[in-house]
Amino acid sequence: MATLEIKNLHAKVDDQEILKGVNLTIEEGQTHAIMGPNGTGKSTLASVIMGHPRYDVTEGTITLDGVNVLDMSTDERARAGLFLAMQAPQEVPGVTNSDFIKTAMNARLDEGENVSLFKFIKKFDQAVEKLKMREDLPHRFLNDGFSGGEKKRNEILQMRMLEPAIAILDEIDSGLDIDALKTVGQNVTEMQDGKRSFMMITHYQRLLDYIKADYVHVMMQGRIVKSGTVDLVRSIDENGYDWIKEEVGIQDERVVPQNDDADEQTVLGSCATREAMEK
Amino acid sequence: MQVSPNNAPELIAPLLNEATYMLYISQGKIQSNTLPEGITITESTPKDALHANFVSDDPLVSHNQSNHDTAITLEVKEGITLDAPIMIMIDGSNYDYTVNITYDIHPRACIDIHEYLYSTSDHTLNYLSQTHVGEQAQVKLIGIANLDLMSTSSVQRLVRSQASSHTEVRTAQLGNGRTKQDVDMDLLGEHAYGEVRTVAVASGNQEVLINTHLEHKAKQTEGYIEHYGVAADESYLGFEGTGKIHKGMSQSNAHQSNNGVVLGEYARLDANPLLLIDEYDVEASHGAAIGRIDEEQLYYLMSRGLSESDAQRLIINGFLAPLKSMMENDVMRDHIQSLLANKTGR
Ligand SMILES: Nc1ncnc2c1ncn2[C@@H]1O[C@H](COP(=O)(O)OP(=O)(O)OP(=O)(O)O)[C@@H](O)[C@H]1O
Ligand SMILES: [Mg+2]
């Protein structure tokens, strides 16, 4: 379907640089897993690809089959084939799931054309069944009052309905119980048809037990610092990230370094000294 | 010669044709009507006894009470239940005029009234309705206003509710003209229930003022005021809601909410909810939530391919969901949707 190419991507929010030179190419049909400790820029990368208005790209390029993505608005990117299942999906009270998805599907058709109601309902019902969601889903307001797991499944339902060329799934496994994880895994696997590409952000190996990934990347300090195959995930699951930090010579893996530890130590130190002196 | 609904302006003819019962007023007089048995219509000011209930300290109200071009009293007989709403269509085009309608709803009657105020010219329409709700009567009064850009209008609805009656007033201001709307409801009998729900959408450089006044003048009465609004472009929309519980009117409930969305940099929306309570043994609340469309919600919808205007339209339609209760048939629903799209669809 399409190839996504990210080159030397730098992005900032409120004058704070978060992404510091990301390079990643996802070819048609490939599934890439992105891992990395908290606060290393994974969700930011997903948001920047989707065009969230809060982030400014200061350097680098993103292209979809050679076409500049950075020139497109968020909705244009979606219509060009990008999809982002968000880590924390928004609640939109007042807007029903079915109105929302119908409008999203119609937005992909020519002006004046609409999806047939019959086909829409059939497809929706099927997706609801496949994701084992509540049957009243179409009439409920979008994510409004949904449980954490329901929200995640609703993201995958939207992906099923919209059939993107490239799907970015940001921690789709968090908040899912073990059965739901399996259901979501099956749904994603079903959509891995050799043409559609995936970028899956996750913290755990267990997601990759359900969904096959071709490559695994580790992000630290706003960059990809290590890439490999699923073997890499196993090492991370067993040994954590310290060995990678050591290997690439990083002390604080976070994008925005926090000096709190160091501060606390000095304070502790002086108190301890004072206490010792008083004795 | 009577103007039949089919000769009514293109915009409103389908609404009239859809109505089972209707009264059509244009050019200052009744053009046609189909009213069911049990409802009598008199072209005159209300009877004195009834009139006493509607004494108001608002000078505009008293002015409209005594100076009018058309005055009609609709009397709904005791115990009547209608199978369909009565549509009151008032076309204010081409004349400056004042219409005064009194609904005299006798005890235990059960009736829905849909008023549609309409104009396509730069004239002034003053509209005053006075509704007397008899004991145990149930009334739903829906008022939709769609008045021309250049028009000026004042729309006043006075409601006086007797014991154990149930009254719902739902209004929508969807026109483009300068508008002032007042709803003034008195709950006069014990256990009377009153609800005033208003949706207003202001756009262009329109000024819309919504005043709702609900007084509890008997014990164990229950009153709700709800305002929903959107202000776009350079418009101004003001909500003034007052709930008042008089001394001794114990175990009454007065609640009010205001919800507003401001679109664009230059629109203004104010809400001044007021609670005046002279009694301890009551339940009361009021609040206002006015803000802009949530950027994160907009982004979320757009990330699925919806254009910004589609996303905005969905969010606003959702926000104005109370309008749905005013769309009792498909013709009216399409009609309201298109009015809304005209005002917020950009
Ligand atoms: N909109 C924002 N405003 C302020 N800071 C931000 C914003 N977005 C990201 N950041 C900061 O950028 C850093 C990276 O955040 P990001 O959400 O990309 O991390 P992550 O790798 O997805 O972490 P996690 O595994 O916890 O989800 C964090 O320090 C975060 O606070
Ligand atoms: Mg994240």
Side-chain angles (χ1 to χ4, degrees):
Chain A
M1 281 185 184
T3 294
L4 182 72
E5 209 169 351
I6 300 164
K7 278 190 192 153
N8 189 32
L9 187 66
H10 289 250
K12 60 175 190 182
V13 61
D14 303 336
D15 287 325
Q16 171 87 54
E17 187 168 62
I18 311 282
L19 298 184
K20 302 175 180 176
V22 178
N23 289 292
L24 177 66
T25 301
I26 302 180
E27 308 254 9
E28 176 174 312
Q30 292 179 346
T31 297
H32 292 237
I34 311 272
M35 302 189 69
N38 294 132
T40 50
K42 303 181 297 297
S43 293
T44 302
L45 175 61
S47 297
V48 169
I49 296 173
M50 210 61 230
H52 192 293
R54 283 209 52 188
Y55 301 91
D56 289 324
V57 172
T58 49
E59 224 184 303
T61 57
I62 305 177
T63 56
L64 188 64
D65 280 339
V67 180
N68 184 0
V69 166
L70 296 175
D71 273 352
M72 302 181 195
S73 58
T74 295
D75 55 319
E76 286 169 343
R77 296 181 196 200
R79 295 197 296 271
L82 289 170
F83 178 90
L84 169 58
M86 300 190 193
Q87 187 171 353
Q90 279 291 310
E91 297 194 6
V92 192
V95 177
T96 63
N97 283 288
S98 102
D99 276 351
F100 164 53
I101 296 174
K102 214 183 299 161
T103 314
M105 287 169 78
N106 286 337
R108 286 160 171 77
L109 303 177
D110 288 336
E111 180 92 25
E113 262 186 67
N114 288 320
V115 285
S116 105
L117 198 61
F118 177 75
K119 278 191 191 147
F120 172 78
I121 292 174
K122 215 174 131 190
K123 192 170 180 182
F124 203 118
D125 284 350
Q126 196 184 23
V128 166
E129 201 187 306
K130 289 261 185 189
L131 282 148
K132 303 198 170 90
M133 297 193 72
R134 277 168 50 172
E135 272 169 32
D136 63 355
L137 180 77
H139 316 293
R140 289 178 76 186
F141 291 146
L142 182 49
N143 295 331
D144 187 26
F146 281 31
S147 75
E150 276 178 318
K151 281 183 187 165
K152 297 288 176 161
R153 272 182 287 177
N154 200 23
E155 296 289 280
I156 299 302
L157 180 132
Q158 292 170 34
M159 177 177 79
R160 281 197 78 109
M161 297 298 287
L162 299 175
E163 301 178 3
I166 297 183
I168 304 165
L169 313 178
D170 192 354
E171 291 196 27
I172 199 66
D173 48 340
S174 72
L176 290 181
D177 65 47
I178 202 74
D179 293 333
L181 182 64
K182 202 167 155 190
T183 306
V184 163
Q186 281 166 349
N187 275 270
V188 174
T189 303
E190 223 173 274
M191 291 192 75
Q192 285 176 313
D193 57 1
K195 294 200 169 291
R196 183 171 292 112
S197 317
F198 290 86
M199 174 174 144
M200 290 191 307
I201 298 169
T202 184
H203 285 293
Y204 307 107
Q205 181 187 342
R206 53 162 202 225
L207 181 68
L208 302 172
D209 293 341
Y210 293 102
I211 306 168
K212 281 215 168 59
D214 303 301
Y215 300 95
V216 176
H217 311 275
V218 177
M219 270 190 88
M220 286 184 189
Q221 293 181 338
R223 289 178 286 119
I224 289 174
V225 295
K226 192 169 177 64
S227 300
T229 61
V230 275
D231 294 340
L232 184 53
V233 184
R234 294 199 186 100
S235 321
I236 292 170
D237 227 43
E238 277 164 30
N239 309 315
Y241 287 108
D242 283 349
W243 65 278
I244 299 180
K245 282 161 70 177
E246 221 161 273
E247 194 180 295
V248 295
I250 286 176
Q251 271 160 18
D252 191 333
E253 72 280 7
R254 289 169 295 193
V255 178
V256 185
Q258 316 276 320
N259 298 322
D260 46 13
D261 290 3
D263 281 348
E264 256 169 47
Q265 263 165 21
T266 38
V267 173
L268 253 179
S270 56
C271 278
T273 322
R274 203 180 317 139
E275 267 173 47
M277 279 164 61
E278 275 165 9
K279 271 191 188 146
Chain B
M1 194 199 77
Q2 287 210 332
V3 178
S4 87
N6 288 320
N7 298 335
E10 208 180 317
L11 188 80
I12 54 176
L15 296 173
L16 282 170
N17 283 326
E18 189 70 20
T20 313
Y21 309 118
M22 61 92 183
L23 175 66
Y24 173 36
I25 298 166
S26 92
Q27 299 168 22
K29 49 180 185 286
I30 298 178
Q31 300 292 353
S32 60
N33 78 75
T34 52
L35 291 175
E37 240 175 84
I39 296 187
T40 52
I41 174 167
T42 341
E43 287 192 55
S44 68
T45 44
K47 293 167 288 182
D48 283 347
L50 202 60
H51 190 242
N53 271 328
F54 293 103
V55 174
S56 167
D57 50 11
D58 182 337
L60 200 54
V61 171
S62 0
H63 178 269
N64 287 346
Q65 279 171 337
S66 46
N67 301 284
H68 44 73
D69 305 289
T70 309
I72 293 164
T73 302
L74 276 187
E75 200 177 324
V76 181
K77 296 256 153 61
E78 182 162 344
I80 290 281
T81 296
L82 287 195
D83 53 343
I86 301 177
M87 162 135 259
I88 313 278
M89 178 69 72
I90 299 169
D91 182 354
S93 311
N94 307 322
Y95 292 86
D96 286 331
Y97 68 94
T98 301
V99 181
N100 184 345
I101 299 187
T102 301
Y103 301 107
D104 182 9
I105 297 159
H106 289 209
R108 284 176 295 284
C110 181
I111 181 175
D112 286 12
I113 297 164
H114 287 204
E115 297 172 336
Y116 192 99
L117 309 180
Y118 168 78
S119 101
T120 51
S121 65
D122 58 349
H123 290 79
T124 300
L125 175 66
N126 290 321
Y127 177 71
L128 170 67
S129 81
Q130 308 184 131
T131 307
H132 182 266
V133 185
E135 282 187 15
Q136 294 177 46
Q138 292 189 29
V139 179
K140 200 188 277 177
L141 182 63
I142 293 179
I144 292 169
N146 171 23
L147 299 150
D148 185 76
L149 178 60
M150 304 305 288
S151 71
T152 303
S153 67
S154 89
V155 178
Q156 297 152 339
R157 294 186 172 89
L158 311 187
V159 180
R160 302 292 177 259
S161 297
Q162 300 299 332
S164 302
S165 62
H166 184 104
T167 313
E168 294 174 23
V169 179
R170 300 187 182 157
T171 67
Q173 292 295 336
L174 302 172
N176 293 312
R178 265 171 68 102
T179 303
K180 181 171 181 290
Q181 171 188 294
D182 294 276
V183 176
D184 175 328
M185 185 186 279
D186 281 0
L187 302 175
L188 299 173
E190 286 186 16
H191 294 288
Y193 173 99
E195 173 186 309
V196 183
R197 211 187 264 182
T198 291
V199 172
V201 181
S203 60
N205 49 20
Q206 193 179 10
E207 199 181 321
V208 178
L209 289 174
I210 306 290
N211 259 309
T212 307
H213 201 92
L214 208 163
E215 292 200 28
H216 300 251
K217 294 182 171 172
K219 287 182 182 171
Q220 295 175 320
T221 50
E222 201 173 338
Y224 294 87
I225 297 172
E226 287 175 27
H227 293 145
Y228 297 85
V230 174
D233 308 324
E234 286 133 57
S235 65
Y236 174 77
L237 174 58
F239 288 137
E240 301 274 344
T242 307
K244 180 170 181 178
I245 301 183
H246 287 251
K247 203 174 180 69
M249 302 314 163
S250 54
Q251 291 173 26
S252 289
N253 295 341
H255 298 282
Q256 179 180 168
S257 67
N258 293 272
N259 297 280
V261 172
V262 181
L263 299 178
E265 252 176 87
Y266 305 105
R268 277 196 306 145
L269 204 165
D270 285 340
N272 296 308
L274 208 64
L275 266 178
L276 304 170
I277 296 183
D278 217 354
E279 168 63 39
Y280 289 104
D281 181 17
V282 297
E283 243 182 60
S285 67
H286 65 324
I290 314 283
R292 297 185 177 274
I293 288 195
D294 187 322
E295 289 291 325
E296 291 294 330
Q297 288 186 352
L298 213 51
Y299 165 70
Y300 184 68
L301 300 192
M302 287 174 72
S303 80
R304 303 307 188 232
L306 275 70
S307 65
E308 185 167 2
S309 65
D310 273 350
Q312 192 167 297
R313 182 177 53 78
L314 275 191
I315 293 173
I316 287 174
N317 278 354
F319 174 79
L320 297 178
L323 266 180
K324 289 211 176 85
S325 65
M326 302 181 205
M327 309 170 178
E328 108 291 354
N329 59 50
D330 290 353
V331 178
M332 187 53 98
R333 193 191 53 229
D334 293 349
H335 184 74
I336 288 180
Q337 293 289 8
S338 74
L339 291 182
L340 213 55
N342 275 341
K343 289 184 73 74
T344 59
R346 82 211 73 212

